[in-house]
């Protein structure tokens, strides 16, 4: 109800690093897609205690089992074999999103677009698109 009132017809994707929150969001509503954010196993960040987040394939299985819209993965997981990793997620029927500091690089974003990711999460999108900043209340 709050999202409806505040954002109306904007495209909204609900996401969380917590698998249980994603499951709850999916079970409580079906209007907005729900995406699990995962970092997999990386040296960049400390591992989460929840095993559903430390292995990308486990995250994929959980997302499929809970009927989530997709997975948002840490960009570092895509450094060595982006096509293989993305294909494994897409073969499961999930949308693919990427987040992380690598996404600040135009070259990385271009490579992700060529790999057909469904979304790239990064800061300063207004600067890239030469759009005026909008104030968010």
């Amino acid at each position: 109800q709050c999202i409806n009132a505040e954002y109306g017809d904007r495209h909204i994707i609900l996401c969380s690093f917590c698998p249980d929150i994603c499951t709850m969001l999916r079970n409580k509503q079906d209007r907005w897609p729900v995406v699990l954010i995962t970092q997999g196993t990386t040296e960049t960040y400390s591992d989460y205690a929840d095993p559903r987040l430390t292995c990308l394939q486990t995250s994929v299985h959980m997302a499929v089992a809970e009927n989530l819209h997709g997975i948002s993965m840490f960009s570092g997981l895509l450094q060595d074999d982006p096509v293989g990793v993305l294909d494994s997620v897409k073969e499961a029927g999930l949308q693919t999103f990427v987040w992380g500091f690598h996404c600040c690089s135009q070259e990385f974003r271009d490579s992700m677009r060529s790999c057909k990711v469904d979304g790239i999460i990064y800061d300063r999108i207004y600067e890239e698109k030469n759009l005026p900043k909008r104030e968010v209340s």
Side-chain angles (χ1 to χ4, degrees), residues 100-113:
F101 62 89
H102 300 95
C103 296
C104 293
S105 156
Q106 181 67 50
E107 182 180 337
F108 184 82
R109 291 193 305 270
D110 290 343
S111 74
M112 290 298 100
R113 287 181 184 111

Side-chain angles (χ1 to χ4, degrees), residues 40-82:
T41 300
T42 176
E43 293 179 11
T44 307
Y45 301 108
S46 300
D47 285 346
Y48 282 91
D50 191 325
R52 295 172 291 182
L53 296 173
T54 56
C55 172
L56 183 61
Q57 281 311 113
T58 305
S59 297
V60 168
H61 292 306
M62 180 268 173
V64 169
E66 297 299 339
N67 200 26
L68 301 183
H69 184 74
I71 295 283
S72 181
M73 28 198 150
F74 172 57
S75 55
L77 300 175
L78 302 169
Q79 292 291 74
D80 296 329
D81 181 22

